[in-house]
Amino acid sequence: MTKKPVDAPLEERLELVKNILPQELSILPVFPRPVFPEMRLPISFIGEVNIKALNEAQEKYGGIVGLVLPTGLDDSYRPEGFYDFGCAARIVNLVEVTADYAEVLMDVLHRFQIEKKVQHEPFERWRVIYEESSKDIVSQELRGYLMAVSAETKELVKYNSIFQEQLRMTLSTFNIQNPSRMLDTLAFVLAPESERLQEILEAYDLVHRANLLLKLLREDIEIAKVQEKIASDIDKKATDQQREYFLREQLKAIKKELGIEKEDKESDVEKILQKVEKLKLSEEAQHVVDEEISKLKLLNVESPEYAVARNYLEVITALPWGIFSEDCKNLKQAREILDREHYGLKDVKELILEFLNSILRKGSVSGSIICLVGPPGVGKTSVGKSIAHALGRKFFRFSVGGMRDEAEIKGHRRTYIGAMPGKIIQALKRVKTSNPVIMLDEIDKVGSSFQGDPASALLEVLDPEQNQEFLDHYLDVAYDLSNILFITTANQLDTIPRPLQDRMEVIKLPGYVAEEKLEIAVQYLIPKQLKENGFTEKEIIIPPETLRVVTEKYARQAGVRDMEKAIRKLIRKAGLMLTEGKKKKIRIDRKKAEEFLGKPLFKKDQLYRKPQVGVVLGLAYTAYGGATLYVEASGVAAKSPFFRQTGKLGEVMKESSQIAYSFAHAYLLEEEPENRYFETHEIHLHVPEGATPKDGPSAGITMALALYSLAKGLPVRHDLAMTGELTLTGKILPIGGVKEKVIAARRAEIKHLIFPSQNRKDVEELEEYVRKGIDFHYAEYFKDLFPLSLQSDL
């Protein structure tokens, strides 16, 4: 009596399982090739989601899953999409190696095509349509194709040694009564590209499948023939090369005995000479190159000095000596470029166009260095790029912020190991032209250390009287930088050394008001972020009222960088909802914006909603734009007078507070000799938000009025702000940053502003939308403040 086998033949097991194939399958990615029916295969799966799908299939669906080739995989092995055809397979043995990696032995059962997706997350499930049984009567046409496939396979065996054994075994198991399995097995063994293999998997018609396989076989045979010919040619060529190699070695030995230069050296010198012929070297540079080439010819290739000399010659010949790009002289086009790439900044654009016009008229940039000063995010770097674009010149930018080694500007001497030229020379090597636009970013943050002072090194670079013969330590040859248009950027001028400032033409970029931010968001930021995140304006809609909320509560800074970050966050949040949900578009209203962006970052600038004694609202200008600034004064009765200031005040602001105290004291005694408040009280002057550094003289009248209000016991209007420098005689001097301060006042919803009389013209030159809704008042002396500010009847 024969013993019944433990495991039935594969054909019997497949046939039994096919009869109970489910109509819905969990879909798993199989990569890098699709699988074919009637095979048992070991398959690896990566990713916790895939392992979860395998376990669920074992528990709920009899271990049957769908295996489909993905159109691509992301970094976490999640499929980016699937083809519409795959194979059902049963799990025979599952071994979970780790939480996100498993080795699975599977019986591939049957082809299917997607009918409908019934589940998207955490993994896809499909309702599928299975291929009808392929064990039909074999037609004459199909029989002919099968014979041709068999013949071509035998032909391929002659050429392809890699697949000889596999192909022979496949041919020996051919069963003409099961042509589907015969064709699938052959296709799988041949292992063409995944797309070609997927095409065969999708061919339900056996004649069409056989035709595709026949084409593949013939292509492989042609490739194998070409490979055989190439191998033969290579063998012959290798023999010739060996012969040539021995002859060359003999020639080198003969040259060495005769003292003739080595071939490598000749090649290096020849390449350098070819480069020199294409350049217009200066007389000094030509002399140095000739000397270095002569030295190179005498040195041994193995010598360290040889490498130093060769590297030096490669650097000096890589520079664009005498190579210039042609300037675009169309000023109208330059205006269009500036208007297209930047919204607003009317005054800045006019200054730049005047500057460009001068350059184009005289045909030289000598003596022209622009310094763009403004708060972060107002577009200083992009304005620099636009200038280069308008001139038609190459653009190169590098940051000097935090730079502490002057060698980064002027290079290292060649005596040091690893020496290299400075940033300016490296920039010229990259742009390959002698008249680019070079931007030195963050010039106000240049440092100094024991390694030198980069700011001093920049003096030679930016001085039109010196940069015609700029001497880089590495080159040690004068190079003319006078054709370069240098543009520098800074947040403030205070920290830039005065000699460096004198060499630059300063153009100030003010911050943007809310209206300007809204326009910039609509015209530039929203389209840019939609494109970068893969959405259209029809899918995600951000109305103006939402942008206003973003501006007021989350992006109040002078620039638009934070505005862009907030818009990016809104689009990504909305995009996720759009992808996971069934909606075709999402409108982000005020409520959704606050939900997406979280707790507001800014509150109203007004701390007080009614007049207060000793409290005055001032206006300040910082590196980050305009700001409102409360000045508070309080007094405590004391035997002897005392004056203290708090709020992290800078040296200049401390001096202004002393002037304000002295003036208020003297003015009060002159006005009311019997009022001895300052002589009998300890006065404390405080500027809130003490963690924020504050400096400058423009808070002089604010501090003086706070002290005067305290001594007189008169409250100051809460809807009024002011700015101005005060002298000891009560004269109010003009201040800077007018536009930024007005913008800050608008943000705080202040309706009345007091400016020095000499700033009247600056205010009148502001755009109408900046001044709209604000009443401006002007004061020349301290007493001019009283009619509007002090309210005795309150």
Side-chain angles (χ1 to χ4, degrees):
M1 183 175 178
T2 59
K3 192 175 182 181
K4 188 175 180 180
V6 176
D7 197 4
L10 180 62
E11 291 82 0
E12 292 180 22
R13 287 186 282 107
L14 292 175
E15 203 60 34
L16 286 170
V17 177
K18 283 179 188 176
N19 296 329
I20 57 169
L21 286 174
Q23 293 302 305
E24 292 183 3
L25 295 172
S26 298
I27 302 304
L28 291 171
V30 58
F31 199 82
R33 304 188 307 153
V35 296
F36 286 81
E38 301 189 48
M39 295 182 185
R40 172 171 283 190
L41 299 169
I43 302 175
S44 301
F45 292 95
I46 300 175
E48 293 182 3
V49 172
N50 293 331
I51 308 305
K52 182 179 178 182
L54 289 167
N55 289 323
E56 186 175 294
Q58 278 195 316
E59 294 170 7
K60 297 182 180 179
Y61 309 116
I64 298 177
V65 296
L67 301 179
V68 185
L69 180 69
T71 56
L73 295 177
D74 62 18
D75 294 337
S76 58
Y77 299 96
R78 293 289 300 273
E80 296 174 349
F82 288 101
Y83 286 93
D84 292 335
F85 291 79
C87 287
R90 183 175 68 88
I91 300 169
V92 177
N93 187 29
L94 169 63
V95 178
E96 293 187 39
V97 180
T98 64
D100 61 349
Y101 177 75
E103 296 281 354
V104 189
L105 184 64
M106 309 194 86
D107 283 338
V108 187
L109 306 174
H110 213 67
R111 280 178 169 82
F112 64 74
Q113 180 182 1
I114 182 174
E115 182 183 11
K116 181 182 178 183
K117 289 183 183 178
V118 296
Q119 178 180 307
H120 289 273
E121 294 292 339
F123 47 83
E124 292 191 10
R125 283 184 60 79
W126 294 358
R127 182 176 296 132
V128 300
I129 303 170
Y130 292 96
E131 176 193 25
E132 294 179 5
S133 177
S134 59
K135 293 185 178 180
D136 299 324
I137 298 172
V138 179
S139 65
Q140 290 298 321
E141 183 182 11
L142 179 58
R143 187 182 296 275
Y145 267 108
L146 294 176
M147 296 301 291
V149 166
S150 178
E152 294 294 341
T153 304
K154 291 174 182 176
E155 178 71 13
L156 181 60
V157 168
K158 298 177 185 178
Y159 296 102
N160 199 328
S161 58
I162 298 174
F163 297 117
Q164 276 184 0
E165 285 303 316
Q166 287 179 296
L167 291 171
R168 284 198 182 99
M169 290 177 62
T170 305
L171 287 171
S172 66
T173 58
F174 271 178
N175 181 1
I176 198 123
Q177 299 306 318
N178 190 355
S180 178
R181 182 179 181 189
M182 168 184 169
L183 296 172
D184 288 347
T185 306
L186 254 182
F188 193 79
V189 169
L190 287 173
E193 314 89 58
S194 59
E195 290 81 7
R196 301 287 295 274
L197 212 54
Q198 180 69 25
E199 189 179 4
I200 292 173
L201 178 69
E202 294 177 7
Y204 279 17
D205 180 74
L206 293 180
V207 172
H208 179 49
R209 197 184 306 172
N211 186 26
L212 291 174
L213 185 59
L214 193 59
K215 288 179 182 178
L216 277 175
L217 281 165
R218 287 175 178 168
E219 286 176 11
D220 282 358
I221 290 170
E222 289 302 317
I223 292 170
K225 287 180 179 178
V226 172
Q227 287 175 337
E228 186 180 54
K229 183 178 181 303
I230 291 170
S232 175
D233 292 343
I234 287 173
D235 289 340
K236 182 177 181 300
K237 194 172 182 179
T239 305
D240 293 338
Q241 285 178 341
Q242 286 176 345
R243 178 174 172 273
E244 184 180 345
Y245 172 75
F246 288 121
L247 289 173
R248 284 190 178 278
E249 287 298 310
Q250 289 176 351
L251 181 61
K252 285 167 76 174
I254 292 169
K255 281 188 173 185
K256 186 175 181 180
E257 289 296 323
L258 295 175
I260 302 173
E261 296 85 8
K262 295 184 179 180
E263 188 177 1
D264 290 343
K265 189 188 300 183
E266 290 175 353
S267 176
D268 287 340
V269 171
E270 186 179 341
K271 288 177 183 176
I272 291 166
L273 288 173
Q274 287 175 355
K275 289 182 180 178
V276 171
E277 287 176 4
K278 298 176 183 177
L279 301 172
K280 296 179 182 178
L281 296 172
S282 66
E283 187 177 338
E284 181 189 9
Q286 185 68 57
H287 178 70
V288 170
V289 168
D290 290 342
E291 281 188 348
E292 290 296 321
I293 289 175
S294 299
K295 186 194 299 182
L296 199 67
K297 290 178 179 179
L298 296 173
L299 291 169
N300 191 308
V301 178
E302 308 299 330
S303 169
E305 290 185 29
Y306 180 87
V308 172
R310 184 187 60 196
N311 291 341
Y312 174 76
L313 284 168
E314 286 178 351
V315 169
I316 201 170
T317 55
L319 292 174
W321 298 90
I323 299 174
F324 300 93
S325 60
E326 187 176 350
D327 285 340
C328 174
K329 297 184 178 180
N330 190 338
L331 207 61
K332 182 180 178 182
Q333 182 180 330
R335 184 183 290 275
E336 289 173 356
I337 289 170
L338 289 170
D339 288 339
R340 182 174 66 248
E341 296 181 357
H342 295 88
Y343 177 81
L345 303 177
K346 183 180 177 182
D347 294 342
V348 173
K349 290 176 184 176
E350 285 300 319
L351 287 171
I352 289 171
L353 288 169
E354 292 168 8
F355 187 84
L356 294 180
N357 185 49
S358 299
I359 290 173
L360 297 174
R361 292 283 292 182
K362 68 180 180 181
S364 169
V365 300
S366 180
S368 304
I369 297 145
I370 300 175
C371 181
L372 301 172
V373 180
V378 294
K380 298 185 293 295
T381 303
S382 59
V383 166
K385 289 181 182 177
S386 295
I387 293 172
H389 187 190
L391 278 173
R393 294 191 177 194
K394 297 286 185 66
F395 178 80
F396 187 87
R397 171 200 163 275
F398 67 90
S399 176
V400 294
M403 188 179 286
R404 293 180 175 273
D405 187 356
E406 71 173 51
E408 293 196 49
I409 300 294
K410 300 198 70 174
H412 305 81
R413 300 195 183 280
R414 276 186 287 161
T415 51
Y416 297 111
I417 296 172
M420 62 177 66
K423 292 281 189 183
I424 305 296
I425 297 299
Q426 289 182 44
L428 292 169
K429 273 181 63 181
R430 289 196 184 183
V431 297
K432 301 187 187 312
T433 174
S434 290
N435 62 336
V437 174
I438 294 181
M439 174 171 277
L440 309 178
D441 228 346
E442 310 291 353
I443 199 168
D444 56 327
K445 299 177 180 63
V446 176
S448 61
S449 68
F450 66 91
Q451 295 170 304
D453 183 4
S456 299
L458 284 172
L459 292 176
E460 183 183 354
V461 174
L462 300 180
D463 191 337
E465 300 299 324
Q466 299 181 52
N467 65 9
Q468 291 181 359
E469 294 185 349
F470 173 69
L471 199 65
D472 183 273
H473 290 156
Y474 181 84
L475 284 186
D476 205 24
V477 173
Y479 195 97
D480 186 2
L481 304 183
S482 63
N483 296 296
I484 299 172
L485 174 56
F486 287 100
I487 300 175
T488 63
T489 71
N491 295 133
Q492 54 190 3
L493 293 172
D494 300 350
T495 55
I496 302 175
R498 191 67 192 179
L500 204 54
Q501 280 191 50
D502 292 341
R503 287 160 172 79
M504 301 185 293
E505 184 168 337
V506 175
I507 297 178
K508 293 186 177 181
L509 279 75
Y512 297 107
V513 295
E515 288 78 5
E516 289 176 319
K517 285 186 178 181
L518 293 179
E519 285 297 323
I520 292 170
V522 171
Q523 293 184 29
Y524 300 95
L525 303 183
I526 293 176
K528 176 186 173 183
Q529 289 303 319
L530 284 172
K531 184 178 179 182
E532 286 186 0
N533 290 281
F535 297 98
T536 66
E537 293 180 359
K538 293 181 180 179
E539 292 176 307
I540 298 177
I541 302 165
I542 306 178
E545 56 269 20
T546 302
L547 292 174
R548 194 169 292 278
V549 170
V550 173
T551 303
E552 292 174 355
K553 296 186 177 181
Y554 301 93
R556 198 183 283 180
Q557 291 83 353
V560 294
R561 194 169 289 146
D562 288 331
M563 184 83 170
E564 185 171 10
K565 289 178 183 176
I567 289 171
R568 184 189 300 126
K569 190 172 183 179
L570 288 177
I571 289 173
R572 286 180 176 174
K573 294 267 188 186
L576 183 61
M577 290 178 63
L578 199 66
T579 304
E580 292 181 339
K582 296 181 179 179
K583 294 182 180 179
K584 293 185 178 179
K585 67 177 182 179
I586 288 181
R587 181 183 177 88
I588 306 175
D589 55 20
R590 296 169 64 99
K591 186 177 179 182
K592 274 197 179 72
E594 292 181 0
E595 179 186 334
F596 288 167
L597 297 176
K599 185 179 178 181
L601 301 177
F602 298 96
K603 60 184 184 301
K604 293 289 184 184
D605 280 356
Q606 281 187 270
L607 297 179
Y608 301 98
R609 293 295 176 180
K610 61 181 182 179
Q612 300 283 331
V613 173
V615 177
V616 185
L617 182 60
L619 298 172
Y621 176 63
T622 70
Y624 301 96
T628 53
L629 203 69
Y630 275 98
V631 174
E632 301 173 341
S634 67
V636 179
K639 291 181 180 179
S640 59
F642 185 77
F643 180 60
R644 72 158 58 91
Q645 316 101 319
T646 56
K648 203 171 183 181
L649 309 183
E651 289 300 320
V652 177
M653 202 165 182
K654 284 181 180 179
E655 289 180 3
S656 294
S657 68
Q658 291 288 351
I659 292 169
Y661 178 78
S662 298
F663 173 79
H665 188 181
Y667 189 84
L668 185 65
L669 284 176
E670 183 181 344
E671 186 182 55
E672 297 180 9
E674 71 281 0
N675 191 333
R676 300 286 178 174
Y677 187 88
F678 287 102
E679 298 170 17
T680 58
H681 285 76
E682 183 180 302
I683 308 293
H684 185 172
L685 187 76
H686 177 62
V687 183
E689 297 186 51
T692 306
K694 312 164 190 76
D695 206 2
S698 63
I701 63 171
T702 313
M703 292 185 285
L705 187 62
L707 293 168
Y708 183 81
S709 165
L710 176 68
K712 294 278 286 186
L714 296 176
V716 180
R717 290 181 61 162
H718 67 286
D719 60 347
L720 171 74
M722 62 189 66
T723 179
E725 182 180 352
L726 183 69
T727 70
L728 279 173
T729 61
K731 177 77 173 175
I732 299 177
L733 301 181
I735 45 80
V738 171
K739 183 174 181 179
E740 289 80 1
K741 291 177 179 179
V742 175
I743 290 171
R746 288 182 64 85
R747 194 165 58 227
E749 300 178 1
I750 301 298
K751 303 300 181 185
H752 299 276
L753 297 182
I754 297 178
F755 278 94
S757 295
Q758 295 181 51
N759 285 117
R760 183 188 293 270
K761 186 179 178 183
D762 299 321
V763 173
E764 290 172 351
E765 288 177 352
L766 295 176
E767 294 85 348
E768 178 61 31
Y769 63 84
V770 177
R771 293 186 284 122
K772 187 177 179 181
I774 297 178
D775 290 332
F776 292 92
H777 309 272
Y778 303 95
E780 190 170 354
Y781 290 93
F782 182 74
K783 64 181 180 180
D784 298 337
L785 304 176
F786 300 159
L788 184 69
S789 59
L790 297 176
Q791 299 190 356
S792 57
D793 58 336
L794 294 175

